[in-house]
């Protein structure tokens, strides 16, 4: 739908503006959920029950018992477990659509998606993290994609949840050093501070990457490249 659907013209313009190439879209499985309330439902209820789709976090049921798509008018980023199976979705609203809810809407906790035990892109990054002994942790999906595009392939994110014990446990399986590359704002500083609660419990050393004021990792690598980020 994102690459070819007639409903996705605005979405294609947005991802192009954000520098997401067709190759990145393909590699990361990025999609688009149109604004219709039953775009996905109509395609899936032929083989899956509405109850199962609600349990999986793909649909919502209102007080009257009506079922509709959870994700609408949003860019979708599939979230995978370590074995590469898609277990959840993160979805960003298109600019101008804030009346439809928060900027980012993520799958809820489900029987297969436990947010505290999943790190976005770790299934791809684990090989380079193991080789280098280092993993870069950023806040968002687009930060990961920009970093990978710039050659920093050992980059992951926490899918919009607070950095916690489960994330440290996972990361320590593949790396000895965790570079916290959060946005240069108060929220990013608080998130980095929280990491040091776990420093004595897991064999991975957190270090904080200080980015120039006002830049997030995606902005920085777009302007300066991956090697400059590694030097910093």
């Amino acid at each position: 739908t994102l690459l070819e659907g007639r409903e996705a013209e605005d979405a294609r313009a947005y991802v192009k503006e954000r520098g997401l190439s067709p190759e990145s879209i393909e590699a990361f499985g990025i999609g688009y959920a149109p604004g219709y309330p039953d775009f996905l439902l109509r395609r899936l209820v032929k083989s899956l029950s509405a109850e199962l789709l609600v349990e999986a976090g793909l649909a919502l049921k209102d007080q009257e018992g009506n079922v509709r798509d959870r994700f609408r008018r949003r860019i979708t980023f599939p979230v995978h477990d370590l074995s590469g199976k898609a277990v959840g979705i993160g979805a960003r609203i298109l600019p101008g659509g804030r009346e439809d809810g928060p900027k980012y809407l993520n799958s809820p906790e489900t029987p297969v998606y436990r947010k505290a035990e999943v790190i976005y892109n770790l299934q791809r990054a684990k090989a380079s993290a193991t080789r280098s002994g280092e993993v870069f942790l950023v806040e968002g999906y687009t930060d990961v994609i920009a970093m990978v595009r710039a050659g920093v392939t050992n980059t992951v994110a926490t899918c919009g949840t607070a950095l916690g014990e489960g994330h440290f446990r996972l990361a320590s399986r593949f790396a000895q050093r965790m570079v916290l590359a959060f946005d240069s704002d108060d929220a990013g500083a608080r998130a980095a501070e929280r990491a040091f609660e776990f420093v004595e419990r897991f064999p991975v050393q957190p270090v904080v990457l200080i980015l120039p004021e006002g830049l997030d990792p995606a902005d920085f690598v777009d302007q300066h490249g991956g090697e400059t980020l590694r030097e910093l």
Side-chain angles (χ1 to χ4, degrees), residues 1 11 29 42 63 94 126-127 134 142 144 149 179 190 211:
T1 303
R42 279 188 286 114
Q63 293 178 332
L94 285 182
K126 60 186 180 183
E134 186 173 73
T142 52
V144 169
R149 195 173 62 228
V179 182
R190 285 195 300 273
L211 290 169

Side-chain angles (χ1 to χ4, degrees), residues 2-212:
L2 176 59
L3 290 173
E4 300 170 5
R6 69 178 187 279
E7 305 91 346
E9 283 185 20
D10 290 348
R12 281 193 289 276
Y14 171 76
V15 296
K16 185 177 181 182
E17 180 188 313
R18 291 303 303 262
L20 293 176
S21 66
E23 291 77 22
S24 291
I25 290 168
E26 191 74 34
F28 286 89
I30 303 168
Y32 178 64
Y36 312 127
D38 60 351
F39 184 84
L40 188 63
L41 272 173
R42 279 188 286 114
R43 288 156 174 77
L44 294 185
V45 291
K46 297 168 186 173
S47 54
L48 301 167
S49 70
E51 288 72 23
L52 187 61
L53 296 176
V54 171
E55 187 181 8
L58 294 171
L60 295 165
K61 184 179 284 189
D62 63 24
Q63 293 178 332
E64 286 75 43
N66 301 311
V67 178
R68 60 175 175 80
D69 290 359
R70 175 182 290 273
F71 303 107
R72 291 179 290 164
R73 202 171 181 270
R74 290 175 179 271
I75 306 291
T76 57
F77 300 85
V79 178
H80 300 80
D81 65 13
L82 266 184
S83 67
K85 293 178 181 175
V87 293
I89 289 175
R92 191 204 191 281
I93 206 157
L94 285 182
R98 293 304 291 271
E99 68 279 0
D100 296 326
K103 181 178 177 181
Y104 279 95
L105 183 65
N106 299 309
S107 290
E109 295 271 325
T110 72
V112 296
Y113 183 34
R114 297 175 180 85
K115 298 182 184 185
E117 298 169 17
V118 175
I119 298 179
Y120 178 71
N121 198 50
L122 187 57
Q123 85 283 2
R124 297 185 192 91
K126 60 186 180 183
S128 56
T130 301
R131 283 195 303 273
S132 66
E134 186 173 73
V135 64
F136 283 81
L137 184 73
V138 296
E139 289 184 34
Y141 309 102
T142 52
D143 288 325
V144 169
I145 294 163
M147 297 264 284
V148 170
R149 195 173 62 228
V152 189
T153 55
N154 50 335
T155 304
V156 299
T158 58
C159 304
T161 57
L163 181 60
E165 184 175 327
H167 300 126
F168 259 79
R169 187 182 297 111
L170 258 182
S172 67
R173 290 174 56 184
F174 304 100
Q176 296 80 55
R177 191 167 183 261
M178 180 190 288
V179 182
L180 306 171
F182 294 144
D183 295 357
S184 55
D185 56 19
D186 288 344
R190 285 195 300 273
E193 211 169 271
R194 179 168 163 71
F196 289 87
E197 294 175 22
F198 307 103
V199 72
E200 293 180 359
R201 291 158 59 191
F202 299 99
V204 58
Q205 175 63 45
V207 298
V208 178
L209 173 65
I210 307 295
L211 290 169

